[in-house]
Amino acid sequence: RLFNKWSIEVKQWFYKVFLLTLAAIWKPLTFNRKIWLVGEREDQAEDNGYFFFKHCRENYPKEKVYYIISKDSPHLYKVKKLGNVIYHSSLKHQLYMLVADTYISAWTFDECSYPAPKEKFIKMFGKQLAKKFTICLQHGVIIHNISPYLHKDRYNQNLIISSSEYEKKIIQNTLGYSDQEVAVTGLARFDNLHELSVKKQILIMPTWRRHLFKINKSNFLKSDYYKAYRNLISNKEFLDMIERHNIPVKFYIHSQMQKFMDNFVV
């Protein structure tokens, strides 16, 4: 066991030296230009990360801006059209983590866009990662205290994007960020609403609930959250109404709650 442990440590040391050496060579080859890495969840390209990246590629195509996404993502085709794709956890991903200057995410970059296994990568390159500038584009609009999530003491983002002055005050008062650390720009995906066309359609899109995230199926089925939405989409008056007026309805539950999706099939 001791030999195996020693062997693993030696391999990790050689790999660390290899990657740091490669990064030291690679950075000058880019003429030391600023490199930005952008991401969301590793299999997604549909939130503020994607629309920010899309804006950069369409308006500043010569800039070194790259999108991190898994190779088997159903959204990969959208990013490929724009170019500058880096596959999640690939050698290129690991290399660019070291040569990049800025990490940008619709969540926080270390939540979704660090190479796997994340803990191992942090252990090997924590000193280098700590020097990066991190930007949280957000993936929603904050209307109340969401701490401890995103709090400065725990997540330590260098910049957080806000959709309004009102939201900025909430972020400052509840999450511990200074005036200079919160920028009011609106969310990147708002740009996608400019050519919005109205549909004869109802979208039911409930968000998640922190207290329901880690409970089992039995307790989830007892929750008011489940009962309210299950009763709505199985309500006879509601179903008669949408059938009578020929209105399609889409029920899109939050990704954190999708493990319970089968229970909403009616």
Side-chain angles (χ1 to χ4, degrees):
R1 287 199 298 266
L2 287 174
F3 176 79
N4 287 338
K5 183 181 178 182
W6 177 81
S7 176
I8 291 171
E9 289 177 351
V10 169
K11 287 179 182 177
Q12 289 180 352
W13 183 83
F14 274 109
Y15 187 74
K16 179 179 179 179
V17 171
F18 162 72
L19 209 56
L20 288 174
T21 303
L22 189 59
I25 296 171
W26 196 265
K27 187 66 174 175
L29 294 178
T30 67
F31 301 101
N32 291 316
R33 291 174 61 189
K34 296 291 183 182
I35 296 174
W36 293 0
L37 301 184
V38 185
E40 296 171 1
R41 293 183 186 276
E42 65 179 75
D43 61 341
Q44 286 184 334
E46 61 180 353
D47 207 322
N48 291 313
Y50 168 71
F51 285 105
F52 174 78
F53 176 73
K54 183 174 183 288
H55 175 83
C56 290
R57 293 295 295 150
E58 291 175 347
N59 294 278
Y60 307 97
K62 294 183 180 180
E63 297 300 326
K64 297 287 187 179
V65 184
Y66 299 87
Y67 196 89
I68 309 298
I69 192 167
S70 58
K71 206 167 189 176
D72 57 354
S73 167
H75 301 158
L76 178 60
Y77 72 96
K78 294 164 57 178
V79 187
K80 270 191 166 182
K81 291 178 182 177
L82 300 168
N84 282 14
V85 179
I86 295 179
Y87 294 126
H88 198 287
S89 300
S90 63
L91 174 61
K92 186 175 181 180
H93 184 189
Q94 297 176 61
L95 172 62
Y96 273 70
M97 289 288 292
L98 299 178
V99 300
D101 306 277
T102 304
Y103 298 159
I104 304 169
S105 177
W107 297 75
T108 60
F109 202 84
D110 67 320
E111 284 180 288
C112 306
S113 299
Y114 272 32
K118 172 183 165 182
E119 291 73 18
K120 180 180 174 182
F121 192 80
I122 293 174
K123 183 178 179 181
M124 293 174 70
F125 303 106
K127 184 178 178 181
Q128 290 76 22
L129 300 176
K131 298 176 182 178
K132 308 302 181 179
F133 192 86
T134 57
I135 300 175
C136 175
L137 299 174
Q138 284 207 69
H139 58 275
V141 176
I142 297 173
I143 60 171
H144 52 70
N145 187 356
I146 62 169
S147 181
Y149 180 68
L150 267 184
H151 198 281
K152 177 74 174 178
D153 292 342
R154 183 173 177 181
Y155 291 85
N156 195 28
Q157 298 297 290
N158 297 111
L159 182 67
I160 291 185
I161 298 304
S162 171
S163 58
S164 69
E165 290 291 343
Y166 179 79
E167 183 184 18
K168 178 178 179 177
K169 289 178 182 177
I170 295 174
I171 293 172
Q172 289 181 259
N173 293 336
T174 65
L175 301 181
Y177 291 91
S178 69
D179 181 70
Q180 292 75 29
E181 292 171 325
V182 187
V184 180
T185 65
L187 302 188
R189 68 170 182 261
F190 289 175
D191 288 354
N192 197 47
L193 301 177
H194 292 322
E195 298 179 6
L196 180 68
S197 59
V198 178
K199 299 178 182 178
K200 186 180 179 182
Q201 174 181 295
I202 294 174
L203 171 64
I204 302 171
M205 191 176 178
T207 187
W208 71 303
R209 297 291 186 274
R210 184 176 296 163
H211 66 282
L212 299 178
F213 181 45
K214 294 183 179 180
I215 68 173
N216 58 35
K217 177 181 175 180
S218 177
N219 287 328
F220 178 75
L221 296 181
K222 297 174 185 176
S223 69
D224 291 337
Y225 177 95
Y226 169 71
K227 291 176 183 176
Y229 288 109
R230 171 78 185 202
N231 289 340
L232 170 60
I233 62 177
S234 60
N235 180 275
K236 187 176 185 305
E237 288 185 52
F238 175 68
L239 296 175
D240 288 345
M241 184 273 292
I242 62 174
E243 185 173 354
R244 187 167 61 252
H245 294 285
N246 192 29
I247 303 174
V249 176
K250 294 191 176 183
F251 183 70
Y252 185 30
I253 198 167
H254 192 280
S255 57
Q256 300 278 28
M257 298 281 101
Q258 285 179 12
K259 58 187 175 183
F260 302 116
M261 191 64 192
D262 290 348
N263 301 293
F264 288 100
V265 177
V266 296

